[in-house]
Amino acid sequence: FCLSVAKTLAMMAQKLIAMSTCMRVPPNTRLVHLRLARPLCSLPDHLLTMREELNSDEAQLFDVREPEEADRGQLNDALLVPLSQLQEGLVPQHDKNKLTYLHCAAGVRVHYAAPILESMGFERVVPLQEGFGALAAAGFAMK
């Protein structure tokens, strides 16, 4: 949605620029610049916070989808930790003290993975409601 709005606004701006080069603007005309209070496609606060924490290395992001799913696309910041491996008792070799965000395809499997990770000693686990597609569409870079 945000991408289509941005494209539409860009097209409108190009048309206005083209029109303004053909029109004569009367002297002393005051031009008004429109500034939006917040960007049209800004991230929700919790995703902005997550992005900042990932960038500052305060947090880590686990992708709990299966390898076949991750082969079709994965976020740059995500570490693949499949739910099936967690259910088999394989403990991820990542920092248990870091804030750990979880994502899957649609925001369901993260709720199965979170208590498993907590039982393995991960102290702060946050399951995201947004799935892979939503995070990619929100602008999180992909591998």
Side-chain angles (χ1 to χ4, degrees), residues 1 28-30 32 38 42 44 46 50 56 74 76 90 93 115 128 131 143:
F1 171 77
N28 300 324
T29 299
R30 190 168 178 201
V32 177
R38 66 186 264 190
S42 67
H46 70 284
M50 181 183 79
S56 67
Q74 192 175 8
N76 273 349
L90 295 172
Q93 299 302 306
L128 295 172
K143 292 181 183 175

Side-chain angles (χ1 to χ4, degrees), residues 1-14:
F1 171 77
C2 290
L3 188 58
S4 63
V5 169
K7 285 181 180 178
T8 302
L9 288 174
M11 286 176 36
M12 290 172 60
Q14 287 176 344

Side-chain angles (χ1 to χ4, degrees), residues 29-103:
T29 299
R30 190 168 178 201
L31 299 176
V32 177
H33 294 277
L34 177 65
R35 184 190 299 190
L36 299 173
R38 66 186 264 190
L40 287 175
C41 301
S42 67
L43 290 173
D45 289 341
H46 70 284
L47 292 181
L48 284 172
T49 300
M50 181 183 79
R51 178 177 275 166
E52 290 169 7
E53 291 166 339
L54 290 170
N55 288 339
S56 67
D57 204 35
E58 296 173 51
Q60 57 196 350
L61 175 62
F62 288 178
D63 178 348
V64 299
R65 298 176 302 152
E66 296 306 311
E68 310 80 53
E69 295 171 278
D71 287 345
R72 292 187 289 256
Q74 192 175 8
L75 301 177
N76 273 349
D77 294 323
L79 305 165
L80 185 61
V81 180
L83 176 60
S84 62
Q85 291 181 5
L86 294 174
Q87 291 170 326
E88 291 171 6
L90 295 172
V91 180
Q93 299 302 306
H94 301 291
D95 191 342
K96 293 181 179 184
N97 298 313
K98 269 189 186 180
L99 178 58
T100 303
Y101 289 98
L102 309 178
H103 87 80

Side-chain angles (χ1 to χ4, degrees), residues 46-47 50 61-62 64 99-104 107-115 117-118 124-131 135:
H46 70 284
L47 292 181
M50 181 183 79
L61 175 62
F62 288 178
V64 299
L99 178 58
T100 303
Y101 289 98
L102 309 178
H103 87 80
C104 59
V108 176
R109 285 176 278 182
V110 292
H111 296 288
Y112 294 102
L117 285 163
E118 289 168 345
R124 299 177 294 154
V125 179
V126 179
L128 295 172
Q129 65 187 13
E130 294 84 5
L135 292 170

